[in-house]
Amino acid sequence: MRIDRKSWRDPLLLGTTVPLTLLMIVFFLVPLAMTGILSFQTTKYYRLIWTWDLATWRDVFGKPFYWTIMLRTVAMSLVCVVLSLAIAMPVAYALATRLGSLQRHVTILITFAFLTDAVLKTFGWILVLDKNGVLNWGLSYLGFGPQALNLLFTPSATMIGMVYNLAVYPMFTIYLSLVRIDRDLQLAAYDAGASRLRTFFEVTLPLSKPGLYAGAVLVFVLSLGAFLEPKVMGGGNSPMASELIRQSFETRVNWPLGAALTLVLIVIGALSLAISALVAMRRRRVASPA
């Protein structure tokens, strides 16, 4: 869409763009700039010293400890994306095509779970995964012995919490893509002799990719900042980047380090968004070569 230069003097356009621009400056660019400035400062005896020094950045890029946690965070986020999509795709497909009259009720249940506070849901998993929780009680009833699984305060428990809290996002994005697919295309595939499985992989799945991409990006970005699940269900034994940032600000009182790690995490998230945007643009060009 091309914007005429004269339109910038339009009061209606100014009235809609100026407040949004001010909000972006005040609540995003200014805090981001302050975080960047803070990352170049130093601390001494738990006191912030205003100067310009690269010591914090040398620590961040030079010490393997920080990159180990960053890489763990990215790896956990990628695994969370895969598991969330694996759960969300069948649920969204059933919602869009199979549930019929139950579709509205299931949608309400999923929405209710989405709106429930994540703190309550996460702490609820402790009752399930604890040594004396519901899961071990069920396993012992089946003959596996008491405390057959010791999942709580492990990376697996963290992953369960992250997938549980985030899988609902791709459910909605994939569902919206599926309901927009022209039913005639699927019927044409059936008329051509394709089985249901082949129709799904050659018609339904390719056309639902926008929802898959959007859901994957949402889950990945939100996983990068996951704080509650590693703390509550992981017990802090395998900290992720958000926990390291919290400790830098609160426990160590090393604000420059926390600011630098925050910027690194923001850059990782921004790169993932940029890559997804490039993929979407490329797909659009392939779809409409003219």
Side-chain angles (χ1 to χ4, degrees):
M1 181 180 68
R2 188 174 67 85
I3 298 178
D4 193 341
R5 290 185 177 180
K6 292 181 181 179
S7 65
W8 291 109
R9 300 174 184 174
D10 186 353
L12 181 60
L13 182 63
L14 290 174
T16 54
T17 57
V18 170
L20 180 61
T21 304
L22 289 176
L23 284 175
M24 289 294 293
I25 292 174
V26 173
F27 293 105
F28 180 71
L29 293 181
V30 171
L32 191 63
M34 292 176 65
T35 304
I37 293 172
L38 191 59
S39 68
F40 291 99
Q41 314 308 313
T42 59
T43 56
K44 187 175 183 180
Y45 302 118
Y46 300 104
R47 294 186 61 184
L48 184 66
I49 300 175
W50 289 97
T51 180
W52 292 99
D53 199 315
L54 292 173
T56 302
W57 285 104
R58 283 196 293 268
D59 288 342
V60 170
F61 287 107
K63 293 184 177 179
F65 170 75
Y66 299 118
W67 283 106
T68 300
I69 293 182
M70 285 295 173
L71 290 175
R72 179 191 300 147
T73 302
V74 173
M76 292 278 286
S77 300
L78 290 175
V79 174
C80 184
V81 168
V82 173
L83 294 178
S84 297
L85 292 182
I87 294 172
M89 185 66 193
V91 176
Y93 184 78
L95 273 176
T97 60
R98 299 295 176 189
L99 291 181
S101 59
L102 295 176
Q103 184 185 63
R104 181 180 299 176
H105 301 87
V106 176
T107 305
I108 291 174
L109 288 175
I110 294 176
T111 305
F112 180 75
F114 174 70
L115 296 177
T116 305
D117 186 39
V119 176
L120 295 177
K121 292 188 293 185
T122 304
F123 274 97
W125 272 104
I126 294 178
L127 302 176
V128 178
L129 300 179
D130 188 65
K131 291 179 180 178
N132 301 314
V134 176
L135 182 60
N136 274 317
W137 176 82
L139 290 175
S140 64
Y141 184 79
L142 295 174
F144 288 93
Q147 301 181 359
L149 287 178
N150 189 16
L151 288 176
L152 195 59
F153 302 145
T154 64
S156 299
T158 301
M159 183 57 62
I160 290 172
M162 290 170 60
V163 171
Y164 178 74
N165 286 329
L166 299 177
V168 68
Y169 292 98
M171 281 183 195
F172 281 113
T173 57
I174 297 171
Y175 170 77
L176 292 176
S177 291
L178 289 173
V179 295
R180 294 178 62 183
I181 294 176
D182 190 350
R183 178 67 176 165
D184 291 339
L185 295 175
Q186 296 168 323
L187 294 177
Y190 294 143
D191 291 341
S195 63
R196 291 183 181 275
L197 191 63
R198 187 172 181 181
T199 301
F200 174 80
F201 282 106
E202 294 191 5
V203 178
T204 306
L205 186 60
L207 294 176
S208 64
K209 282 183 179 179
L212 284 166
Y213 287 142
V217 171
L218 272 174
V219 173
F220 182 74
V221 173
L222 293 173
S223 298
L224 288 177
F227 170 79
L228 184 64
E229 297 86 355
K231 184 70 176 177
V232 175
M233 299 181 66
N237 296 325
S238 300
M240 294 176 65
S242 55
E243 174 62 14
L244 182 62
I245 293 171
R246 185 197 69 79
Q247 290 180 3
S248 300
F249 278 106
E250 294 183 4
T251 308
R252 303 180 186 179
V253 198
N254 192 340
W255 291 11
L257 177 61
L261 294 172
T262 301
L263 289 178
V264 171
L265 203 59
I266 290 175
V267 169
I268 294 173
L271 284 176
S272 67
L273 291 176
I275 292 172
S276 63
L278 288 175
V279 171
M281 290 173 61
R282 186 174 180 180
R283 282 179 49 81
R284 194 175 299 127
R285 288 174 185 170
V286 172
S288 56

